[in-house]
């Protein structure tokens, strides 16, 4: 079975940066789609960033709210997915989840939760004003 373990969350002041990591086991990061979602108290889960492809050909996708600030990447040799978050805002405060899938139907549906069938337990990001 696939296991995903997120790390790198914490507390930071507005304008600061954090780098989240998602270590995968039982799954190769180059397979199909991988993404980051987040959920804040009182809000529904939303897609943040997604990546598709391998080290030779990679496509990335971002929610409008994080474009220009967040960057998703992967390191195949470490079987790890990353989310670099810069210029953080208080409304970025949320639990962040890593997700991957073995479904080919994820392509073109990057921020649809049902596109992913494996999820991590999340890492908390708190941004203070």
């Amino acid at each position: 079975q696939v296991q995903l373990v997120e790390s790198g969350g914490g507390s930071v002041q507005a304008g600061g940066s954090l780098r989240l990591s998602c270590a995968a086991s039982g799954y190769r990061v180059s397979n199909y789609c991988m993404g980051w979602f987040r959920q804040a108290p009182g809000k529904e889960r939303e897609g943040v960033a997604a990546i598709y492809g391998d080290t030779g050909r990679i496509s990335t996708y971002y929610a409008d709210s994080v474009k220009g600030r967040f960057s998703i990447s992967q390191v195949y040799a470490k079987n790890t997915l990353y989310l670099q978050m810069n210029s953080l805002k208080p409304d970025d405060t949320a639990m962040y989840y890593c997700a991957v899938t073995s479904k080919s139907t994820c392509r073109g549906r990057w921020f649809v939760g049902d596109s992913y069938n494996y999820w991590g337990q999340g890492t908390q990001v708190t941004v203070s004003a």
Side-chain angles (χ1 to χ4, degrees), residues 65-123:
S65 60
V66 307
K67 286 181 179 178
R69 300 190 299 121
F70 290 10
S71 179
I72 187 171
S73 62
Q74 65 188 80
V75 177
Y76 181 83
K78 297 177 66 176
N79 207 35
T80 301
L81 180 69
Y82 298 96
L83 183 67
Q84 178 67 47
M85 305 184 294
N86 299 322
S87 302
L88 284 163
K89 305 174 181 178
D91 58 0
D92 292 320
T93 296
M95 184 72 74
Y96 283 72
Y97 299 90
C98 172
V100 303
T101 188
S102 59
K103 303 176 183 179
S104 62
T105 54
C106 64
R107 286 167 285 185
R109 305 174 72 247
W110 314 111
F111 298 145
V112 178
D114 288 346
S115 294
Y116 301 85
N117 54 1
Y118 301 108
W119 295 80
Q121 294 301 303
T123 184

Side-chain angles (χ1 to χ4, degrees), residues 38-68:
R38 67 186 182 187
Q39 187 168 25
K43 297 184 179 180
E44 64 182 0
R45 182 176 295 180
E46 63 174 338
V48 174
I51 188 167
Y52 176 77
D54 56 26
T55 54
R57 184 166 63 90
I58 300 173
S59 298
T60 58
Y61 308 89
Y62 299 94
D64 289 341
S65 60
V66 307
K67 286 181 179 178

